[in-house]
Amino acid sequence: MNNELNIISPKTSTERDVLHDLEQLREQAPLVHCMTNSVVTNFTANVLLAIGASPAMVVTIEEAPEFAAIASALLINVGTITTADAHVMLKTAEAATAHGTPWVLDPVAAGAIGFRTGVTHELIACKPTVIRGNASEILAVSGEKSEAKGVDSTASSQDALHAAALLAGTTGAIVALSGETDFITDGTTAIPVPGGHPLMTRVTGTGCTLGATIAAFLPVSSTPLQAAATASAIYARAGKDAATGNEHRLGSFAVAFLDRLSSMGNS
Amino acid sequence: MNNELNIISPKTSTERDVLHDLEQLREQAPLVHCMTNSVVTNFTANVLLAIGASPAMVVTIEEAPEFAAIASALLINVGTITTADAHVMLKTAEAATAHGTPWVLDPVAAGAIGFRTGVTHELIACKPTVIRGNASEILAVSGEKSEAKGVDSTASSQDALHAAALLAGTTGAIVALSGETDFITDGTTAIPVPGGHPLMTRVTGTGCTLGATIAAFLPVSSTPLQAAATASAIYARAGKDAATGNEHRLGSFAVAFLDRLSSMGNS
Amino acid sequence: MNNELNIISPKTSTERDVLHDLEQLREQAPLVHCMTNSVVTNFTANVLLAIGASPAMVVTIEEAPEFAAIASALLINVGTITTADAHVMLKTAEAATAHGTPWVLDPVAAGAIGFRTGVTHELIACKPTVIRGNASEILAVSGEKSEAKGVDSTASSQDALHAAALLAGTTGAIVALSGETDFITDGTTAIPVPGGHPLMTRVTGTGCTLGATIAAFLPVSSTPLQAAATASAIYARAGKDAATGNEHRLGSFAVAFLDRLSSMGNS
């Protein structure tokens, strides 16, 4: 399939598109319902507030499906999933799809362990709008796992892009593949988003909060493809800018990253 | 009822009262038992340490009621409540009241969703010392919801202050209403606490940690009314000071906020 | 027993040993499986990333025992333990020991409350490689509690060191006793690690993340004794350096602490 994949040059998602989407997001302040992992709840809320969205972490069975129906967008991240979480996430995903709430699935470490891989496949059957993951995760959930080495994060971009396009084609979801260059694909075309900085992999949650940021753009961007491209472009720029002068200063880098997200387009 | 409400001028809670309470807190280092939401656990612990209190997050049914009996104060915050949490929180609230441990209820997003609204009313029946919330939450739990628009956070201060006084009158709790100006009321009088900064609404947990800070002052201030006024005054000042130079730098603002809390009265 | 205890001077764990271990850790990037408390999950992940390890928080019964078998090391911290957690932690500890995965037990607040004290003893029966705690915790789990005052953190170093050596002798674990001077003991010898800074006790999680850091060094240091000494020495230095200029600035101190951990040996 990737032989037929049309790689769109970065220019198709222009600086103007990105800033326009960001302006729209700040104006509309979409309510982003997050069911995410216990490591990144605080950082996720602060990232969403920094870009101008309104985060809400609602996680119990009595509330989450009901809330997904009224939220502007939903994020489901399986990073620290428990038995009970799996049940609530499935019911919430069903509710989101039933009520037309766009949602992002982040299959953290899928493929590495049996339980979450099974839950991830059940969640994919609930029709996420976007699936975001790194090369290993996308390879694993696409069923192309056998070509890679389990959770091998050094899986080649080419293999992973093929798998991402395949996953998009079979599920109907936009797939946002994170890496040195991010790729956003609908199965037939792919938008590369270069940039970012290696330091982003050394602060916990930069991937997970990108998933939340994509969710935030879903209600305001023209298409899910554009939402994922905008979110990735904003992240790449904030990460690169925040790294300046903070090469071996991970605490300062994380603070600067939030600073950059909140100042972008404002200063 | 608010026609009869006597608004006390800010001067009644003087600079001297606030600094005296803070000095007492730092001397006594009260043990503050927190049952709070998953988004703000870390920030809550660090805020309590910054002001000089001793935080303890104890959440399981085998421990929490027992611990509430020996703690200096308790915070119950329903922000990310689950079915299991609700049960433990009720038993813990009962234990706190039975053993004379003062406690703060923070009814996050009550009124917006049925489940937590019901739990909140059950918790109120356990007789919290202080109820802290924003306008929407106080309107919702006071039963004045019909006058506002659900979770509408733009509810007028006047309506919310009326509801806060009503809630204080019917429950016997001090009500701490957060907003551009905070109001602390016992049902017949109200202390306005002006100040603060809009940036405080753009870092997750500034409201939730104010609840924890009120709890920390309960064992050291002269009255619960004074405890809530002192905590609010400290927050308003730390928020305003931290905002200087950090208008579009949310990461730096949060760091500066903790810096200000820890340096207040020390430098 | 401590009459016979041979106190090794700090020089036995030389600067060279510490930097060598750190270099090894950065080269091998061990996968550290963490089951820790809800207050410090984010900080723990960021500390592990800062020193060069690869953190993974895996907590559900379907995954944790399986994951402990393949991880490089495991941390179990009972800080916010629930009924369900206790069961998963025991099964995971058993799996780690069965598969030869070295692991650290952090008995937070053991002795203060019955439930976690019982679970802690069950976990100790699963044979942790290292037990890390402050004076009160080590006194409590060693059975020497009667000599101290419950959770009294002012328990004398001498009493606690005796208890630590006894605990090491009876369990076969290395005991890392945290305090103004840390002591690492195998029951017959003890390595004192001086340094650090009082500010470290005023940011939540510096003790808990030391446990995670010891776990990270277990697969790369020559012995568990050396792993605990290296981790403690790195912490003491990072804490001392980060405190410079941040005496009453707890937010900035925490950021500087992560900066120091990530720059150590790199700059």
Side-chain angles (χ1 to χ4, degrees):
Chain A
M1 181 176 274
N2 71 335
N3 290 335
E4 307 161 20
L5 202 61
N6 177 27
I7 305 289
I8 304 175
S9 89
K11 290 207 171 173
T12 58
S13 177
T14 64
E15 175 81 7
R16 183 173 295 181
D17 290 335
V18 169
L19 289 179
H20 174 263
D21 283 0
L22 183 57
E23 198 178 316
Q24 286 295 306
L25 188 150
R26 291 200 167 128
E27 199 175 306
Q28 297 179 31
L31 180 61
V32 183
H33 178 186
C34 300
M35 304 187 77
T36 192
N37 68 70
S38 62
V39 184
V40 302
T41 41
N42 183 274
F43 191 46
T44 301
N46 278 331
V47 160
L48 288 173
L49 287 165
I51 59 168
S54 181
M57 274 64 177
V58 177
V59 297
T60 195
I61 188 65
E62 298 88 345
E63 299 184 339
E66 178 187 341
F67 198 75
I70 62 164
S72 310
L74 168 70
L75 166 72
I76 295 184
N77 173 308
V78 302
T80 54
I81 196 169
T82 64
T83 322
D85 292 337
H87 174 65
V88 187
M89 285 176 177
L90 284 165
K91 291 293 177 192
T92 306
E94 283 171 8
T97 296
H99 290 84
T101 303
W103 64 286
V104 176
L105 172 64
D106 194 331
V108 179
I113 317 172
F115 177 65
R116 72 180 60 198
T117 308
V119 175
T120 294
H121 284 297
E122 290 184 80
L123 285 165
I124 289 175
C126 297
K127 301 220 157 287
T129 315
V130 177
I131 302 170
R132 188 215 74 84
N134 62 29
S136 304
E137 292 154 357
I138 297 303
L139 282 162
V141 300
S142 72
E144 297 292 282
K145 187 184 171 184
S146 56
E147 296 177 14
K149 295 174 186 169
V151 293
D152 180 15
S153 61
T154 60
S156 82
S157 288
Q158 191 56 31
D159 282 354
L161 182 53
H162 174 82
L166 188 70
L167 184 62
T170 54
T171 62
I174 296 300
V175 175
L177 170 66
S178 298
E180 201 179 320
T181 292
D182 292 347
F183 288 96
I184 321 297
T185 179
D186 59 5
T188 55
T189 61
I191 303 178
V193 182
H197 194 278
L199 277 185
M200 296 176 77
T201 64
R202 300 199 48 218
V203 169
T204 198
T206 49
C208 298
T209 53
L210 173 56
T213 302
I214 294 173
F217 278 104
L218 285 175
V220 300
S221 295
S222 56
T223 63
L225 193 79
Q226 177 61 31
T230 291
S232 297
I234 283 172
Y235 256 55
R237 188 186 308 172
K240 193 179 172 189
D241 289 354
T244 306
N246 288 322
E247 186 63 45
H248 293 298
R249 295 156 42 96
L250 286 175
S252 295
F253 171 74
V255 172
F257 183 67
L258 282 173
D259 283 353
R260 293 293 177 163
L261 286 179
S262 54
S263 68
M264 205 175 285
N266 277 324
S267 53
Chain B
M1 179 176 274
N2 71 337
N3 290 337
E4 306 161 22
L5 202 60
N6 177 27
I7 305 290
I8 304 176
S9 88
K11 290 205 170 175
T12 57
S13 175
T14 64
E15 174 81 8
R16 184 173 295 182
D17 290 335
V18 169
L19 289 179
H20 175 264
D21 283 1
L22 183 58
E23 198 178 315
Q24 286 296 306
L25 188 150
R26 291 202 166 124
E27 200 175 305
Q28 298 179 32
L31 180 61
V32 183
H33 179 185
C34 300
M35 304 186 76
T36 192
N37 69 69
S38 62
V39 185
V40 302
T41 41
N42 182 273
F43 191 46
T44 301
N46 278 331
V47 160
L48 288 173
L49 287 165
I51 61 169
S54 181
M57 275 62 178
V58 177
V59 298
T60 195
I61 188 65
E62 297 90 344
E63 300 185 337
E66 177 186 342
F67 198 76
I70 61 165
S72 311
L74 168 70
L75 166 72
I76 294 183
N77 172 307
V78 302
T80 53
I81 196 170
T82 63
T83 321
D85 292 337
H87 173 65
V88 187
M89 285 177 177
L90 284 165
K91 291 292 177 191
T92 306
E94 284 170 10
T97 296
H99 289 84
T101 302
W103 64 286
V104 176
L105 173 64
D106 193 331
V108 179
I113 316 174
F115 177 66
R116 71 180 61 201
T117 307
V119 175
T120 294
H121 284 295
E122 289 183 80
L123 286 165
I124 289 174
C126 297
K127 299 219 159 288
T129 316
V130 177
I131 302 170
R132 187 215 75 84
N134 62 29
S136 304
E137 291 154 357
I138 296 303
L139 282 163
V141 299
S142 72
E144 297 291 282
K145 185 184 172 184
S146 56
E147 296 179 15
K149 295 175 186 170
V151 292
D152 181 14
S153 60
T154 60
S156 82
S157 288
Q158 191 54 33
D159 282 353
L161 180 53
H162 174 84
L166 188 69
L167 184 62
T170 53
T171 62
I174 297 299
V175 175
L177 170 66
S178 298
E180 200 179 320
T181 291
D182 292 347
F183 288 96
I184 320 296
T185 180
D186 59 4
T188 55
T189 60
I191 303 178
V193 182
H197 194 279
L199 276 187
M200 297 176 79
T201 63
R202 300 200 47 216
V203 169
T204 197
T206 49
C208 297
T209 54
L210 173 56
T213 302
I214 293 172
F217 278 104
L218 285 175
V220 301
S221 295
S222 56
T223 62
L225 193 78
Q226 178 61 32
T230 291
S232 296
I234 283 172
Y235 256 56
R237 188 186 309 172
K240 193 179 172 190
D241 289 353
T244 306
N246 288 322
E247 186 63 45
H248 293 298
R249 293 155 44 96
L250 286 175
S252 296
F253 171 74
V255 171
F257 183 68
L258 283 173
D259 283 353
R260 294 292 176 164
L261 287 179
S262 55
S263 68
M264 205 174 285
N266 277 324
S267 54
Chain C
M1 178 176 276
N2 70 337
N3 290 336
E4 307 162 20
L5 202 61
N6 177 28
I7 305 290
I8 304 176
S9 89
K11 290 207 170 173
T12 58
S13 176
T14 62
E15 174 82 7
R16 184 172 295 180
D17 290 335
V18 169
L19 289 179
H20 175 264
D21 283 0
L22 183 58
E23 197 178 315
Q24 285 296 305
L25 188 149
R26 291 202 166 125
E27 200 174 306
Q28 297 179 33
L31 179 61
V32 183
H33 178 186
C34 300
M35 304 186 77
T36 193
N37 69 70
S38 63
V39 185
V40 303
T41 42
N42 183 274
F43 192 45
T44 301
N46 278 330
V47 160
L48 288 173
L49 287 165
I51 60 169
S54 180
M57 276 62 178
V58 177
V59 297
T60 196
I61 188 64
E62 298 90 343
E63 299 184 337
E66 177 186 343
F67 198 76
I70 61 165
S72 311
L74 168 70
L75 166 72
I76 294 184
N77 173 307
V78 302
T80 53
I81 196 169
T82 63
T83 322
D85 292 338
H87 174 65
V88 187
M89 285 176 176
L90 284 165
K91 290 294 177 191
T92 306
E94 284 171 9
T97 297
H99 289 84
T101 302
W103 64 285
V104 175
L105 172 64
D106 193 330
V108 179
I113 316 172
F115 177 67
R116 68 180 63 199
T117 308
V119 175
T120 293
H121 285 296
E122 290 184 80
L123 285 165
I124 289 175
C126 297
K127 301 218 157 288
T129 315
V130 178
I131 301 170
R132 188 215 74 84
N134 63 28
S136 304
E137 292 154 355
I138 297 302
L139 282 161
V141 300
S142 72
E144 297 290 282
K145 186 184 171 183
S146 55
E147 297 178 15
K149 295 174 185 168
V151 293
D152 180 13
S153 60
T154 60
S156 82
S157 289
Q158 191 56 30
D159 283 353
L161 181 53
H162 173 84
L166 188 69
L167 184 62
T170 54
T171 61
I174 296 300
V175 176
L177 171 65
S178 299
E180 199 178 322
T181 292
D182 293 347
F183 289 96
I184 321 297
T185 180
D186 60 5
T188 56
T189 62
I191 302 178
V193 182
H197 194 278
L199 276 186
M200 295 175 79
T201 64
R202 301 201 45 218
V203 169
T204 198
T206 49
C208 298
T209 53
L210 173 55
T213 302
I214 294 173
F217 279 104
L218 286 174
V220 301
S221 295
S222 56
T223 63
L225 193 78
Q226 177 62 33
T230 291
S232 297
I234 283 173
Y235 256 56
R237 188 187 306 171
K240 194 179 171 190
D241 289 354
T244 306
N246 288 322
E247 187 63 46
H248 292 299
R249 294 155 44 96
L250 286 175
S252 295
F253 172 74
V255 171
F257 183 67
L258 282 174
D259 283 352
R260 294 293 176 163
L261 287 179
S262 54
S263 68
M264 205 175 285
N266 277 325
S267 54

